[in-house]
Amino acid sequence: MDTHSFHANGKQRIPGRIVSVRGNVVDLEFTETLPPIHALIHSGPEGRVLIETTVHLDEQRVRGIALNATAGLYRGEPAWTTGEPLKAPVGKALLGRMFNLFGDAIDGGPPPSGMAFRSIHQPPIELSRRVTSEAVFFTGIKAIDLLVPLERGGKAGLFGGAGVGKTVVITELIHNMVGKHKGMSIFCGIGERCREGEELHREMKAADVLPNTVMVFGQMNEPPGARFRVGHTALTMAEYFRDDLKRDVLLLIDNIFRFIQAGSELSGLLGRLPSRMGYQPTMATELAELEERIASTSQAAITSIQAVYVPADDLTDPSAVHTFSHLSASIVLSRRRASEGFYPAIDLLQSRSIMLQPRILGERHYQVAREVRRTLATYEELKDIIAMLGIEELSRQDRKTVYRARRLERFLTQPFFTTTQFTGLEGKLVDIADTLDGCERILNDEFSEHPESAVYMIGDIGEAKR
């Protein structure tokens, strides 16, 4: 077979052959021209197996990562490349649809038409074009709006171990923000459950927010190469809406840890020595390549909310530490609060936001947030004494603080729209003014005569009186 006679997209094919296949890592030999790094190589039946060049081994051999299943590949099998990288589709026709890493529609609908294609490997926008706004993105979730306000055009992370409610909070944020948010929304699922993706698609359709949303998935059952690159595909689409259409983009990623984990799997297969705790030595660079593309220009912003799985609930794990450094807000979910029935299970003392400043939020919001945090911190310190000696041994002032803190903890819970079918409680969207009003009134002991349960799982504070 004369491979030179083939042309792909008007580009000449460079012929090669497979030297070895080790899981998802494939070594190939090109005797004529060495394909550049990130070039896409085709092999297998009808060129369906796609391999991305990662390392130049010598003058004639490259090592690549397979982006789909390598079953059936064998040594000596022919391969070819045009030297071009993997390209993602961009355009208005993406809206309302669900795609995989390669831009193929996976929602059962027809392939979208009139699309342009762009390399998924784009440099971040230069510093001179970047802007940082001091606008706050209010979500309608009391605990987040009060203590961890999100930055419009910033990056927020939801940190938590398995089963503490990261995906539930992200789904609720989608419900609350996509409706109010005037721009586009892109949901990127990296290595998460297929069931959640299908449920999310159905819920968005029912809520009528799908026409302004693009969904991109690289699921648990896909090879590490697909999970490692699907975030770049989603970002390429987001950059098109930001730069070409000048529209604000809300980018939701579930889960960034799975991106790091896919990189770790590939790193081992590529033969790199692991660094601390078994992670890849290139983790910081790989994460920065993805995160630094999430930025805002003077015309439009990309606001990102990312779920981050924390292995064994250990916030000092390198994957969590490296992710923290890219974020403007960190919402930490706590297993202890979840076990006590406080939902959302946000750790109100460990969560942080750079937006919590008086010049951004106003003096009143700042002072209420500080007083709430101080009250909760004092209660945390007194818990050991209460456990050993009982609450009666505390001074009158400390007892008052404990009663306030317990009511604040309960007031900052909230029924979610996305969990109505499980809890039977109707979801609540709470305005920031109502949240501040409720916290001030609890701090002023207005509800000391009411039982603690009166302020649990309600919306605004008026419901406690009713």
Side-chain angles (χ1 to χ4, degrees):
M1 182 169 77
D2 179 17
T3 25
H4 285 287
S5 61
F6 281 107
H7 285 68
N9 302 333
K11 286 215 162 197
Q12 190 167 354
R13 292 183 176 189
I14 305 163
R17 67 179 188 89
I18 291 178
V19 178
S20 71
V21 183
R22 289 189 310 286
N24 292 92
V25 170
V26 183
D27 287 2
L28 302 107
E29 185 177 52
F30 289 87
T31 48
E32 294 178 17
T33 313
L34 213 55
I37 298 289
H38 297 322
L40 202 59
I41 301 166
H42 298 250
S43 190
E46 296 175 31
R48 283 202 195 119
V49 180
L50 301 176
I51 302 157
E52 186 180 80
T53 312
T54 312
V55 186
H56 288 161
L57 297 173
D58 55 35
E59 293 90 340
Q60 294 191 337
R61 289 186 311 140
V62 296
R63 183 163 288 166
I65 294 166
L67 302 178
N68 44 12
T70 53
L73 283 192
Y74 57 88
R75 282 173 70 174
E77 185 166 12
W80 54 270
T81 178
T82 60
E84 294 203 318
L86 176 62
K87 293 187 172 180
V90 293
K92 279 190 174 174
L94 295 171
L95 293 170
R97 303 298 303 274
M98 191 195 269
F99 299 95
N100 66 7
L101 158 75
F102 309 110
D104 304 325
I106 52 171
D107 52 8
S113 56
M115 311 295 286
F117 284 83
R118 284 188 190 168
S119 164
I120 65 165
H121 301 284
Q122 300 288 346
I125 55 171
E126 55 270 22
L127 282 172
S128 57
R129 284 181 58 213
R130 286 178 186 239
V131 294
T132 50
S133 72
E134 292 190 343
V136 177
F137 215 80
F138 287 115
T139 62
I141 298 174
K142 291 183 283 192
I144 293 177
D145 289 348
L146 176 71
L147 295 170
V148 209
L150 307 185
E151 177 190 1
R152 181 180 292 281
K155 289 174 273 214
L158 281 162
F159 291 82
V164 292
K166 294 182 298 297
T167 301
V168 172
V169 176
I170 271 229
T171 320
E172 186 71 5
L173 287 168
I174 291 170
H175 179 281
N176 294 2
M177 294 160 87
V178 169
K180 291 192 299 180
H181 176 67
K182 297 292 177 278
M184 327 302 325
S185 304
I186 293 184
F187 181 88
C188 175
I190 306 179
E192 283 294 305
R193 300 167 190 84
C194 305
R195 168 183 61 77
E196 289 172 350
E198 192 277 330
E199 279 174 7
L200 193 60
H201 187 259
R202 202 157 14 103
E203 282 165 13
M204 286 184 144
K205 208 169 187 174
D208 204 30
V209 294
L210 199 56
N212 265 348
T213 308
V214 185
M215 302 177 87
V216 190
F217 285 99
Q219 292 297 292
M220 265 184 178
N221 57 328
E222 296 188 39
R227 287 176 274 135
F228 189 59
R229 284 294 179 226
V230 70
H232 295 79
T233 297
L235 266 166
T236 305
M237 295 173 178
E239 287 166 345
Y240 166 81
F241 289 120
R242 178 193 67 194
D243 299 335
D244 294 42
L245 300 188
K246 309 283 188 277
R247 301 279 298 271
D248 281 355
V249 181
L250 180 61
L251 176 67
L252 301 131
I253 302 176
D254 187 12
N255 187 306
I256 278 289
F257 174 77
R258 304 288 173 212
F259 163 77
I260 293 172
Q261 193 178 37
S264 177
E265 289 174 45
L266 293 171
S267 181
L269 289 167
L270 288 167
R272 294 180 188 141
L273 280 175
S275 64
R276 186 170 156 252
M277 293 177 75
Y279 287 104
Q280 62 271 42
T282 50
M283 174 166 63
T285 321
E286 288 166 1
L287 188 61
E289 274 175 8
L290 189 73
E291 295 279 7
E292 286 305 304
R293 285 172 65 181
I294 303 171
S296 305
T297 67
S298 52
Q299 273 101 11
I302 298 181
T303 304
S304 172
I305 298 167
Q306 310 169 4
V308 189
Y309 167 72
V310 181
D313 292 345
D314 176 17
L315 287 169
T316 62
D317 189 89
S319 62
V321 170
H322 281 289
T323 312
F324 270 124
S325 58
H326 291 281
L327 305 173
S328 55
S330 313
I331 302 163
V332 178
L333 299 177
S334 145
R335 191 169 301 284
R336 197 195 74 220
R337 282 184 64 79
S339 68
E340 290 170 0
F342 295 135
Y343 290 102
I346 295 170
D347 189 318
L348 303 166
L349 295 174
Q350 275 199 301
S351 302
R352 288 278 177 273
S353 168
I354 61 166
M355 302 307 278
L356 195 60
Q357 298 178 39
R359 64 184 177 81
I360 297 172
L361 297 168
E363 195 62 40
R364 180 187 173 217
H365 184 152
Y366 178 69
Q367 292 303 340
V368 171
R370 273 192 65 175
E371 191 55 34
V372 165
R373 194 165 257 165
R374 192 188 65 77
T375 305
L376 293 170
T378 308
Y379 174 41
E380 201 61 40
E381 288 166 10
L382 294 170
K383 273 184 180 172
D384 285 347
I385 299 172
I386 296 168
M388 286 188 289
L389 305 173
I391 199 162
E392 292 73 26
E393 296 303 314
L394 297 179
S395 68
R396 190 155 166 262
Q397 188 59 42
D398 281 349
R399 254 180 305 187
K400 269 189 168 178
T401 302
V402 169
Y403 295 143
R404 278 179 210 144
R406 288 178 64 85
R407 281 170 177 75
L408 283 170
E409 279 188 331
R410 281 153 183 77
F411 177 61
L412 292 173
T413 61
Q414 189 167 341
F416 277 0
F417 291 97
T418 46
T419 56
T420 302
Q421 68 214 47
F422 309 116
T423 61
L425 298 170
E426 193 191 334
K428 296 284 188 332
L429 195 71
V430 185
D431 194 69
I432 184 63
D434 295 331
T435 304
L436 292 174
D437 180 50
C439 290
E440 277 183 333
R441 287 165 71 179
I442 289 171
L443 289 166
N444 293 333
D445 293 330
E446 197 177 312
F447 289 85
S448 55
E449 303 305 314
H450 287 67
E452 288 173 0
S453 58
V455 293
Y456 175 68
M457 280 291 174
I458 59 171
D460 62 72
I461 198 73
E463 292 179 35
K465 297 250 168 148
R466 291 198 287 276

